Amino acid sequence: MQESKKTISLRNRILEILLFFKDRFDLHEGKEDELETIDYIRKNIEFKGANLWILIFAIFVASVGLNVNSTAVIIGAMLISPLMGPIMGIGMAAGINDFELLQKSLKNLGIAILISILTSTIYFSFTPLDDAQSELLARTEPTIWDVLIALFGGLAGIVAGSRKEKSNAIPGVAIATALMPPLCTAGYGLATANLYYFFGAFYLFFINSVFISLSTYLIVRFMKFPKKEFLDPKREKTVKTYITIFTLLTIVPSVYLAYNIVKRTFWEKAANQFISTELDLPRTQVISSVLRYDADSSIIEVSLIGERINDEEIETMSRKLPAFNLNNTHLKIKQSGDSGTDMNVLRSDILKDLYERNELLIQDKDKKIALLERELAEYGNSSAQVLDIASEAKVNHPNLLNFTMNRSVMANLEKNKQDTLLLAYAKFRNRPNQQEQKRFETWLKLRTKADSVALIVN
């Protein structure tokens, strides 16, 4: 009987904990009416009039930010961008079987993409600053982190959009997922005829859009939003078929793309580990490295300076690639003196490396100079202070002939620590008694505000 009571008590306790977490994580708490949420997202899909002009101006602002490498300007542009509307509309439409809403969302997203790329292309065609800055280069290749940000950001966006009280989560999602910069970078690619930038940036935008739509679709289905009703059963069946096909065509490739991005991320990590481990040579230094990932045949290209390594050593390194999980990977090493080596590129890499190293040395030297200047200033202040204190001490002790003092570091061997000690030396015409010495020492301690004073009297 006692055992049964304990079991019931434990079961009730577990039930209370489960109910507590269910109440805490209940998405239906504070939820807006589903039809109101659908209408809210539907209103933000259309790109015409003011909405279209806001997009154009935001693209110009983002392009300028990328051009001058200003993160703050880019963030400001993403805050005013209305790009999130049609992307969330696609996920919403797929979740409630609304084919008309899906068509409208895709149409407006296509218009937004076309206008965005055209606007940024016009800007980068006329700007005098045509160098690719780091903010531009960062938008040319998606990583696994971009996928995760888009997925979780999209989840946050649709949850926030379904609340009665709208928060700033949707603008935050637009910033986190960085929808606008890739489109601007794609425009830069067209303006400079660099197809690598164009396709890489557009691929990043596509990945972000797909996973935001996917997360919207998942939440809509999870929260059981009402599906669109049809009077004609045949029409309903046709729409459901189209929606299913569209959903599969979106989800299956996105999962495949995400899988490849994960594989590339792990490959790049292993490749960098291989370079830092196997190419850490005593008389040879890595100047630069280029990693080219391909599922069938990847390449690690390294430029070296210093003592040359022979073909046998390179072959030994290549045989170690599988140990780093770098299968189907080829090692390509460039050394000064090789017939196929671009000396201008190698010289540029060397100068870049030397500049970075010298910059670190300069920073270190600047710190040392600043420290020495502080110590010199303290020494100067201490020298001036000695003369003032000696003059004051002469008034109280007429027999004082010579006086000096200095702050020294004292090692406390018992406590294994160090402390600062004021060391003072005083020479009198007639040696003072113990009472006068004590009075002099006390006055000196108060005058210099020192914690401890060691007075040597002669």
Side-chain angles (χ1 to χ4, degrees):
M1 189 68 179
Q2 189 70 21
E3 186 93 30
S4 178
K5 285 182 179 180
K6 286 183 178 180
T7 304
I8 293 171
S9 176
L10 180 61
R11 188 184 299 117
N12 290 337
R13 187 62 179 165
I14 293 172
L15 187 61
E16 286 176 6
I17 293 172
L18 292 175
L19 288 172
F20 171 79
F21 281 107
K22 182 183 178 182
D23 180 62
R24 287 286 170 180
F25 290 94
D26 186 10
L27 282 176
H28 294 85
E29 182 72 27
K31 187 181 75 169
E32 178 70 275
D33 181 75
E34 288 92 346
L35 296 177
E36 292 290 336
T37 302
I38 294 170
D39 187 56
Y40 168 75
I41 292 178
R42 191 189 299 271
K43 288 178 181 176
N44 290 308
I45 288 172
E46 196 80 29
F47 273 99
K48 61 190 295 187
N51 226 20
L52 190 59
W53 281 107
I54 290 171
L55 174 66
I56 292 172
F57 296 145
I59 287 291
F60 272 122
V61 173
S63 298
V64 172
L66 289 167
N67 202 185
V68 300
N69 217 37
S70 173
T71 305
V73 174
I74 298 168
I75 291 173
M78 288 188 286
L79 269 173
I80 59 179
S81 164
L83 272 173
M84 282 290 294
I87 296 173
M88 293 180 67
I90 292 171
M92 173 69 74
I96 62 174
N97 289 338
D98 191 334
F99 191 64
E100 285 76 17
L101 180 61
L102 178 62
Q103 287 179 310
K104 186 179 179 181
S105 299
L106 288 170
K107 175 186 173 182
N108 281 278
L109 181 60
I111 292 172
I113 292 171
L114 182 63
I115 293 296
S116 298
I117 293 178
L118 182 62
T119 302
S120 59
T121 302
I122 291 171
Y123 170 81
F124 284 111
S125 296
F126 292 98
T127 178
L129 304 174
D130 56 357
D131 292 334
Q133 304 290 346
S134 60
E135 286 288 349
L136 272 168
L137 296 174
R139 319 291 175 176
T140 57
E141 201 168 303
T143 66
I144 183 58
W145 312 117
D146 295 308
V147 172
L148 293 175
I149 290 168
L151 181 62
F152 293 119
L155 291 171
I158 183 59
V159 169
S162 66
R163 302 298 95 188
K164 288 180 181 178
E165 295 184 6
K166 310 301 181 190
S167 68
N168 60 351
I170 292 180
V173 172
I175 294 173
T177 52
L179 290 168
M180 289 186 64
L183 291 178
C184 296
T185 303
Y188 173 82
L190 286 181
T192 57
N194 191 321
L195 293 181
Y196 171 78
Y197 282 1
F198 174 78
F199 287 112
F202 192 80
Y203 178 40
L204 174 57
F205 174 80
F206 174 75
I207 285 288
N208 287 344
S209 301
V210 165
F211 279 91
I212 291 172
S213 298
L214 177 61
S215 57
T216 304
Y217 168 82
L218 293 173
I219 291 295
V220 166
R221 283 296 176 92
F222 175 77
M223 296 178 69
K224 295 182 172 59
F225 274 54
K227 296 181 180 180
K228 187 174 181 180
E229 296 181 358
F230 296 86
L231 297 176
D232 184 1
K234 289 184 179 179
R235 172 67 176 167
E236 181 178 4
K237 185 177 180 181
T238 302
V239 168
K240 284 184 177 179
T241 302
Y242 285 149
I243 292 290
T244 302
I245 291 172
F246 173 79
T247 304
L248 290 174
L249 288 176
T250 303
I251 293 176
V252 174
S254 64
V255 171
Y256 175 74
L257 291 173
Y259 172 72
N260 282 332
I261 290 172
V262 171
K263 282 182 64 178
R264 190 189 68 199
T265 302
F266 280 115
W267 180 85
E268 288 176 350
K269 182 179 178 181
N272 285 318
Q273 186 180 1
F274 172 81
I275 293 171
S276 61
T277 304
E278 298 301 322
L279 290 167
D280 184 16
L281 306 171
R283 293 187 177 86
T284 307
Q285 185 178 338
V286 176
I287 296 300
S288 66
S289 59
V290 178
L291 307 179
R292 298 190 183 94
Y293 174 76
D294 188 273
D296 299 323
S297 180
S298 303
I299 296 174
I300 299 175
E301 186 176 298
V302 183
S303 297
L304 302 179
I305 187 173
E307 188 176 290
R308 290 179 59 84
I309 56 176
N310 56 44
D311 294 340
E312 186 177 340
E313 289 174 309
I314 295 173
E315 183 62 30
T316 302
M317 291 178 183
S318 299
R319 285 198 295 267
K320 293 181 180 179
L321 287 168
F324 290 83
N325 294 321
L326 294 171
N327 300 311
N328 301 322
T329 300
H330 303 283
L331 178 62
K332 186 177 180 181
I333 293 182
K334 292 183 177 181
Q335 304 182 76
S336 55
D338 289 349
S339 57
T341 302
D342 188 340
M343 293 306 297
N344 289 328
V345 173
L346 191 59
R347 190 179 294 110
S348 174
D349 290 336
I350 293 170
L351 291 173
K352 181 181 177 183
D353 183 68
L354 288 173
Y355 172 77
E356 290 174 352
R357 287 173 176 271
N358 287 334
E359 192 174 27
L360 291 173
L361 286 172
I362 290 169
Q363 290 175 358
D364 186 52
K365 287 181 179 177
D366 286 343
K367 290 179 182 177
K368 290 179 179 178
I369 291 170
L371 177 63
L372 291 172
E373 285 177 345
R374 284 198 303 271
E375 290 182 354
L376 187 61
E378 289 178 2
Y379 178 78
N381 292 335
S382 178
S383 299
Q385 194 180 24
V386 167
L387 294 174
D388 292 338
I389 292 174
S391 300
E392 293 176 18
K394 180 72 173 175
V395 175
N396 298 323
H397 304 274
N399 289 327
L400 182 64
L401 297 176
N402 297 319
F403 174 80
T404 186
M405 67 177 190
N406 193 21
R407 297 185 186 273
S408 302
V409 176
M410 179 179 66
N412 190 326
L413 301 179
E414 291 184 1
K415 296 182 179 179
N416 194 24
K417 67 175 186 178
Q418 61 183 33
D419 198 1
T420 303
L421 174 70
L422 181 66
L423 189 63
Y425 170 80
K427 183 178 181 181
F428 292 85
R429 184 179 290 105
N430 300 317
R431 186 178 180 86
N433 56 36
Q434 291 292 330
Q435 186 178 358
E436 187 178 357
Q437 288 185 36
K438 186 65 177 176
R439 185 161 55 87
F440 184 78
E441 185 177 339
T442 304
W443 172 82
L444 187 60
K445 188 175 181 181
L446 291 171
R447 176 64 176 80
T448 59
K449 297 179 181 179
D451 293 331
S452 55
V453 175
L455 178 61
I456 302 172
V457 177
N458 188 5

